[in-house]
Amino acid sequence: MSCNQEIKKYFVYHGIFLPKMAYSENSLNYFKAFKIQEDDIFITTYPKSGTTWMQEIIPLILSGGDFTPVQTIPNWERVPWVEEKRAAQLIDKLGSPRALASHMPYHLMPSTFFSSKAKIIYVTRNPKDVLVSSFHFHRMASFLDDPGTFEEFAEKFLAGQVFFGKWTDHVKSWRNPEIGDRILYITYEEMIQDLRGAIGRILCFLGRQLSADALDRVTEHCQFKNMKQNTMSNYSLVPKHLMDSSKSHFFRKGNVGDWKNHFSPELEMKFNAAIHEEMKETGINFPWDEK
Ligand code: A3P
C-alpha cells in the first residue's frame, strides 16, 4: 500500500490514524464537546478486543435479560461510538442509562468525562490475537488500509500506524489511577474461559442483577456461535463494498491463541520484545504474558 492510498483513507488526529469513512472533523468536534451523563456506561476498547461482544452483553444486562434490543437494533445503534460520524443522530435516540462505546485513548476523552461518575468497562485482549484479528479485518474492510503481508502488517501495528494507534499506548492510557473505581478491567480471555462469571462481574460492577435463569440465557446468547448468527450484531447489514465477508468474516474465529497459526518464531520474539519494552514500567501483568 502506497503512502498516497494511506493518506486517502486515514487522517491523523493527535497522532492517531482514523479512517475518513467513519470519522471527520465534525464528528471529533461533537466528541470533544460531548456532555457525559452521570449514569452513562462506557465500553472502551482498542479495536478488535471484544467491543461487539460487550455491545451485546451490556444491553442485555440493562434490559434485564430481554432480548428485544439485541434482536432488533444493530450493535452500532444500541451502543454507539461517540467519536463516529453517526454518533449525534444515534445518541439522541438512546434512553437512560446510555450505553456508549469509544476506541479513544483515555487522555482524548471529552472534557466532561474526567469529572463524571460514568462507569467504564475496558476490555483488553492479548495483542498478538488483536493483531491477527485486525489483519483479517483490514483484508475485508474497504475503509481500512490494505494490510499487505502479515509481517508487514505486524510492523505497522507495532509502530502504531494502524487505526487508533499503538496497542501499548491505548492500554497504558486507560490504566490511569485517577479513573479510580469507575473502571472495570476485563480481558477477552477471561470472557472466553468463563463467560457466565465475567457477566457476573459486570453485573456486580454496574450494581445490577439477573436471575440465575436469565443469566444462563444471556450467557448462552452471547456465545460466539450464537452471536455470529445475530444479523443485528454480525455486520451482515453492512454493504459488501464496505465489509466483504467473502474475504473474512467479522465473526471470524472468536478464540484465544489464533496468533500461533500466524506468527513465525522470529516475529514472536520481535513482537514480545517490543511489547515488553513499552509495558515494562507499568507493572501490569496480563494472563498471556510470558512467565
Ligand atoms: P476474531 O477476529 O479473532 O474472531 P471487536 O468487536 O472489538 O472489533 O472485536 C472483534 C473480535 O471479537 C473478533 O475476533 C470477533 O470474532 C470476536 N468476538 C465477537 N463476539 C465474540 C463472542 N461472542 N465470543 C468470542 N469472540 C467474539
Side-chain angles (χ1 to χ4, degrees), residues 45-57 75 81 103 123 125 129-130 132-137 163 188 191-192 195 219-228 233 235 248-256 258:
T45 53
Y46 184 83
K48 313 317 290 176
S49 300
T51 326
T52 316
W53 205 352
M54 274 301 165
Q55 285 173 317
E56 200 87 354
I57 293 171
N75 61 305
W81 280 270
H103 285 317
V123 192
R125 185 181 189 185
D129 283 331
V130 170
V132 170
S133 181
S134 191
F135 172 71
H136 291 290
F137 187 53
F163 72 143
Y188 179 96
M191 290 164 68
I192 290 281
L195 183 56
T219 305
E220 185 55 24
H221 172 88
C222 292
Q223 298 293 343
F224 180 81
K225 62 179 192 306
N226 297 329
M227 270 186 69
K228 190 179 164 85
S233 308
Y235 285 92
S248 178
H249 288 284
F250 185 92
F251 275 74
R252 198 184 54 88
K253 287 204 175 167
N255 65 10
V256 169
D258 192 32

Side-chain angles (χ1 to χ4, degrees), residues 189-235:
E189 288 70 14
E190 71 183 284
M191 290 164 68
I192 290 281
Q193 201 179 7
D194 176 12
L195 183 56
R196 196 178 193 277
I199 298 173
R201 280 184 67 202
I202 300 168
L203 281 166
C204 277
F205 174 68
L206 296 178
R208 300 258 167 176
Q209 286 185 335
L210 287 178
S211 67
D213 179 51
L215 179 55
D216 284 342
R217 284 184 292 109
V218 166
T219 305
E220 185 55 24
H221 172 88
C222 292
Q223 298 293 343
F224 180 81
K225 62 179 192 306
N226 297 329
M227 270 186 69
K228 190 179 164 85
Q229 304 306 322
N230 184 359
T231 51
M232 291 296 142
S233 308
N234 64 12
Y235 285 92

Side-chain angles (χ1 to χ4, degrees), residues 69-113:
V70 298
Q71 286 171 342
T72 56
I73 311 171
N75 61 305
W76 60 83
E77 267 185 54
R78 67 178 107 98
V79 189
W81 280 270
V82 185
E83 60 269 19
E84 273 195 11
K85 284 182 187 172
R86 51 196 169 182
Q89 184 201 350
L90 298 178
I91 293 174
D92 267 358
K93 291 194 221 152
L94 296 179
S96 178
R98 306 182 297 188
L100 301 163
S102 179
H103 285 317
M104 282 290 178
Y106 174 65
H107 57 279
L108 295 182
M109 291 300 282
S111 57
T112 54
F113 181 80

Side-chain angles (χ1 to χ4, degrees), residues 9-269:
K9 288 191 180 173
Y10 299 137
F11 66 93
V12 181
Y13 178 70
H14 293 272
I16 293 175
F17 284 14
L18 297 178
K20 289 178 183 169
M21 194 278 286
Y23 310 89
S24 66
E25 206 178 317
N26 275 351
S27 78
L28 294 164
N29 285 338
Y30 170 85
F31 174 70
K32 275 192 282 186
F34 186 69
K35 294 271 177 294
I36 308 293
Q37 293 176 2
E38 293 297 286
D39 57 354
D40 283 344
I41 299 163
F42 273 83
I43 298 167
T44 56
T45 53
Y46 184 83
K48 313 317 290 176
S49 300
T51 326
T52 316
W53 205 352
M54 274 301 165
Q55 285 173 317
E56 200 87 354
I57 293 171
I58 302 302
L60 283 168
I61 288 178
L62 296 180
S63 70
D66 177 357
F67 287 87
T68 313
V70 298
Q71 286 171 342
T72 56
I73 311 171
N75 61 305
W76 60 83
E77 267 185 54
R78 67 178 107 98
V79 189
W81 280 270
V82 185
E83 60 269 19
E84 273 195 11
K85 284 182 187 172
R86 51 196 169 182
Q89 184 201 350
L90 298 178
I91 293 174
D92 267 358
K93 291 194 221 152
L94 296 179
S96 178
R98 306 182 297 188
L100 301 163
S102 179
H103 285 317
M104 282 290 178
Y106 174 65
H107 57 279
L108 295 182
M109 291 300 282
S111 57
T112 54
F113 181 80
F114 302 106
S115 55
S116 79
K117 294 196 175 67
K119 292 201 170 178
I120 308 137
I121 297 161
Y122 186 82
V123 192
T124 320
R125 185 181 189 185
N126 184 337
K128 294 199 195 92
D129 283 331
V130 170
L131 167 63
V132 170
S133 181
S134 191
F135 172 71
H136 291 290
F137 187 53
H138 279 67
R139 293 200 301 112
M140 61 101 76
S142 66
F143 49 90
L144 298 174
D145 208 2
D146 181 298
T149 65
F150 186 70
E151 274 67 21
E152 285 164 355
F153 187 68
E155 289 283 343
K156 286 192 195 175
F157 182 87
L158 287 174
Q161 288 165 1
V162 289
F163 72 143
F164 287 97
K166 268 192 192 183
W167 179 87
T168 48
D169 287 346
H170 201 278
V171 170
K172 285 193 279 190
S173 81
W174 281 100
R175 290 281 165 163
N176 193 320
E178 71 186 29
I179 312 173
D181 60 5
R182 290 206 287 131
I183 191 163
L184 175 73
Y185 297 104
I186 198 154
T187 62
Y188 179 96
E189 288 70 14
E190 71 183 284
M191 290 164 68
I192 290 281
Q193 201 179 7
D194 176 12
L195 183 56
R196 196 178 193 277
I199 298 173
R201 280 184 67 202
I202 300 168
L203 281 166
C204 277
F205 174 68
L206 296 178
R208 300 258 167 176
Q209 286 185 335
L210 287 178
S211 67
D213 179 51
L215 179 55
D216 284 342
R217 284 184 292 109
V218 166
T219 305
E220 185 55 24
H221 172 88
C222 292
Q223 298 293 343
F224 180 81
K225 62 179 192 306
N226 297 329
M227 270 186 69
K228 190 179 164 85
Q229 304 306 322
N230 184 359
T231 51
M232 291 296 142
S233 308
N234 64 12
Y235 285 92
S236 57
L237 296 176
V238 174
K240 192 174 175 187
H241 73 271
L242 291 175
M243 287 192 184
D244 186 350
S245 60
S246 68
K247 294 185 177 158
S248 178
H249 288 284
F250 185 92
F251 275 74
R252 198 184 54 88
K253 287 204 175 167
N255 65 10
V256 169
D258 192 32
W259 65 268
K260 291 178 187 150
N261 300 316
H262 290 75
F263 277 62
S264 65
E266 296 73 34
L267 179 60
E268 188 190 349
M269 266 173 55

